[in-house]
Amino acid sequence: MQEKSLDLKEEVSLLNSEDPAIRREAAEKYTSINMPEEIAKVLAEKLLDPDNGVRDAVCQSLILNDYEKIPNYVVPYTGSTLEISTRNLAGEILLRRGVTAIPAMVAFIDEGDDDDKKFIIDLLGLIGDLSPAAKIVEVLRKTENENVALACFEALGNIRSDEEVEELESFYGKNELYKPTIIEALGKIGSDRAVNFIIEKYAVEDELTKFSMIESLGLIGNEQAFFMLVGELEYVTGALTWAAISTLKKLRDKYGLDVPFDEHMKNAILATLTDAEIEYKRAAANLITEFEDKEIVETCLNLYGKDEEIDYNIKSRFFDNPAFSFPKIADYLKQKPQHIKELLELVSEIIQRDGGQCLGELNDMDFRNLGDAFSISLDDPDEEVRRYSIELLFFINPETALVFLDTMLGDDNYWNRLRVLEILENFEDERANNAIKKLAEDQEEMVREKAQELVSQRNL
């Protein structure tokens, strides 16, 4: 027994060494070996160590060691009188230890001030276990601090305590500040009572609370919520429109409901596609499949090439009716948008799908307009844009392409000039022959040799 005591005394001495390397090494070994209670106490004290390396080693040992009393010694270091770095380390340890840390945290709640209570309750919510629900409600009923109350609402939502829905509802009208957080909590809990409460209160609330309500209905809403939001599209604006579109998409997918494609829906989708953040734009793009409308197509053109998920959803708009889409794409290309390459790739993909038969659906004016759009891009700074333009122009209107041969031959990318040569192999035309002879003197050896081979084959 005396020997063990001396060993423990020596271990404590190492943890208190003046050399941070020794302190760090002494702390590190407790990640995997039995930890006596005295060592747990000393390690917790080292969360205040001035050396970052020592604190990191201490943190890992206190997270990984299975000694059950570790949280009891760590939780006091969540106090608001300590440096924020110490509090964060203590919080990380407790969070990583999870459910096993809850008893120590619950016991500490009454020891600290309001800031301490909020910090612990936030952690309990992140752990997500139901066991501290009663204690959180107890704090909620007693506190006069708004931040503590908000932390309680959020934690009850995070732990999905459906037994506390009535408790949350009872606080709803006590403070305007509480309403959005309570609604978010009800949305996470997701009971039928919570859905009905949100629908009941929606009409009389301000925009901030309505936004939280709509977002929550995206998680827990039912068919009644879906049709309520469809009716709201006529009246909502801005961020409420975006949230409504996102929630309608979620509820449509969840319940297999039909989205009405009327003017209010169209305008809401357009507003979301134009102004919203990316997550809402993705939802709006998923809802456009039934619209064949100039504004919708133009908005989709502006978005195309900027997000893979949006592209996937809006591409069908262009594939389904090329005769409608191509004129809009041509006009848009002439504006030289930044994402011109992606649009040219789209045109190429549409044409390849049916071997160009879709081009036969265009009238003469739209056909010429599309060719003009490609010719304008022949001097684009991007070599890939120029290559797509060369290929597309030769495919849809070879006569116009031959007119622009000098521009193509002057392309400063030799791969593009080589591509022109490959295309000209299929043309028995004096202008094509002259271009081949010119490229037979190209400064790039690969282009020159290929052109000279063609000159020889054609006896030019």
Side-chain angles (χ1 to χ4, degrees):
M1 183 69 66
Q2 181 68 25
E3 183 177 345
K4 289 184 178 179
S5 177
L6 289 174
D7 289 343
L8 181 59
K9 190 173 183 180
E10 183 179 349
E11 291 295 321
V12 171
S13 175
L14 292 173
L15 287 170
N16 289 323
S17 169
E18 293 184 3
D19 187 342
I22 294 175
R23 297 199 302 275
R24 184 173 67 249
E25 184 178 355
E28 285 174 345
K29 67 182 179 182
Y30 284 101
T31 58
S32 57
I33 65 172
N34 290 335
M35 183 183 294
E37 186 168 0
E38 180 65 21
I39 296 297
K41 179 181 178 181
V42 175
L43 282 174
E45 292 171 355
K46 294 303 172 187
L47 291 171
L48 300 171
D49 197 284
D51 186 86
N52 288 336
V54 173
R55 291 201 303 274
D56 288 343
V58 166
C59 185
Q60 287 304 304
S61 290
L62 293 175
I63 289 171
L64 298 174
N65 196 283
D66 59 6
Y67 181 50
E68 68 276 4
K69 290 186 178 181
I70 285 175
N72 300 70
Y73 291 105
V74 171
V75 72
Y77 293 93
T78 61
S80 57
T81 58
L82 300 169
E83 289 186 11
I84 189 64
S85 60
T86 301
R87 296 187 80 196
N88 288 343
L89 279 178
E92 181 183 354
I93 293 165
L94 295 170
L95 187 59
R96 294 277 295 276
R97 292 190 72 88
V99 175
T100 61
I102 289 176
M105 296 164 70
V106 168
F108 184 75
I109 286 178
D110 293 332
E111 301 295 322
D113 60 18
D114 284 338
D115 285 340
D116 300 339
K117 286 180 171 63
K118 180 184 181 309
F119 192 83
I120 293 295
I121 290 169
D122 284 339
L123 290 174
L124 290 171
L126 291 173
I127 291 172
D129 186 76
L130 277 170
S131 59
K135 184 63 180 181
I136 294 171
V137 169
E138 178 188 318
V139 174
L140 177 60
R141 290 172 177 173
K142 291 180 180 179
T143 188
E144 297 181 1
N145 184 290
E146 291 178 343
N147 289 329
V148 173
L150 290 170
C152 291
F153 301 143
E154 186 172 354
L156 290 173
N158 284 337
I159 67 178
R160 290 169 171 75
S161 180
D162 55 1
E163 293 183 1
E164 311 304 337
V165 169
E166 185 176 356
E167 191 75 40
L168 289 168
E169 291 176 0
S170 71
F171 278 85
Y172 187 78
K174 293 183 178 180
N175 189 324
E176 290 295 314
L177 180 65
Y178 293 168
K179 290 182 176 181
T181 305
I182 290 174
I183 292 299
E184 289 174 13
L186 290 173
K188 292 174 182 177
I189 293 170
S191 68
D192 289 338
R193 176 168 179 160
V195 177
N196 294 334
F197 182 82
I198 292 172
I199 293 174
E200 175 191 337
K201 298 293 184 181
Y202 177 85
V204 298
E205 293 303 344
D206 59 29
E207 289 206 356
L208 178 61
T209 306
K210 282 184 174 179
F211 184 87
S212 296
M213 287 176 160
I214 295 171
E215 293 268 272
S216 292
L217 289 175
L219 298 173
I220 64 173
N222 51 24
E223 294 187 23
Q224 182 186 355
F226 177 87
F227 291 111
M228 184 269 284
L229 287 176
V230 168
E232 280 296 302
L233 290 180
E234 182 178 355
Y235 309 105
V236 294
T237 59
L240 290 183
T241 301
W242 314 341
I245 288 295
S246 176
T247 290
L248 285 170
K249 189 265 179 188
K250 291 173 183 175
L251 295 179
R252 180 205 67 176
D253 294 348
K254 184 176 181 180
Y255 294 103
L257 301 169
D258 292 327
V259 175
F261 294 99
D262 56 20
E263 196 68 17
H264 299 310
M265 179 64 70
K266 185 191 104 172
N267 291 336
I269 288 173
L270 281 171
T272 306
L273 288 173
T274 303
D275 300 319
E277 296 173 3
I278 191 67
E279 63 177 295
Y280 301 109
K281 287 183 177 181
R282 288 171 178 164
N286 194 269
L287 293 178
I288 65 166
T289 53
E290 298 300 319
F291 283 102
E292 190 170 287
D293 176 275
K294 179 182 177 182
E295 286 182 276
I296 290 285
V297 171
E298 289 176 348
T299 302
C300 288
L301 284 173
N302 188 49
L303 281 174
Y304 192 81
K306 298 178 181 179
D307 180 82
E308 186 175 340
E309 185 176 330
I310 291 176
D311 288 353
Y312 177 82
N313 284 312
I314 66 178
K315 189 177 285 189
S316 62
R317 289 291 78 230
F318 309 115
F319 277 80
D320 291 345
N321 192 345
F324 182 80
S325 302
F326 276 152
K328 308 296 183 296
I329 294 174
D331 290 340
Y332 197 70
L333 286 171
K334 288 181 177 180
Q335 301 173 31
K336 294 194 171 184
Q338 288 186 343
H339 56 299
I340 188 170
K341 181 176 74 173
E342 288 78 11
L343 292 173
L344 290 172
E345 287 176 346
L346 173 64
V347 173
S348 180
E349 193 174 340
I350 295 172
I351 292 173
Q352 287 174 9
R353 189 180 65 161
D354 65 2
Q357 292 182 29
C358 55
L359 295 168
E361 301 173 16
L362 299 177
N363 61 43
D364 290 343
M365 184 176 71
D366 288 338
F367 191 83
R368 286 195 300 272
N369 197 33
L370 189 60
D372 291 343
F374 299 148
S375 65
I376 289 172
S377 302
L378 290 171
D379 61 355
D380 192 272
D382 189 304
E383 63 192 45
E384 290 186 76
V385 169
R386 300 196 302 273
R387 191 175 307 142
Y388 274 117
S389 300
I390 290 168
E391 292 172 346
L392 288 168
L393 189 56
F394 266 112
F395 185 85
I396 73 162
N397 196 335
E399 187 61 33
T400 300
L402 290 169
V403 171
F404 286 94
L405 266 177
D406 284 343
T407 301
M408 299 177 191
L409 298 184
D411 196 301
D412 61 11
N413 182 273
Y414 72 87
W415 288 108
N416 286 357
R417 300 197 300 277
L418 192 61
R419 181 68 182 122
V420 173
L421 261 180
E422 291 172 350
I423 295 171
L424 290 177
E425 284 189 73
N426 301 309
F427 287 86
E428 297 289 344
D429 178 279
E430 184 178 353
R431 289 166 295 180
N433 288 336
N434 289 335
I436 292 169
K437 287 192 287 185
K438 184 173 182 179
L439 290 173
E441 300 176 1
D442 195 273
Q443 61 183 2
E444 174 59 43
E445 182 179 1
M446 190 182 303
V447 177
R448 186 171 63 250
E449 289 181 352
K450 176 66 175 177
Q452 288 172 355
E453 180 182 334
L454 291 174
V455 168
S456 176
Q457 288 175 3
R458 297 188 179 193
N459 295 319
L460 298 180

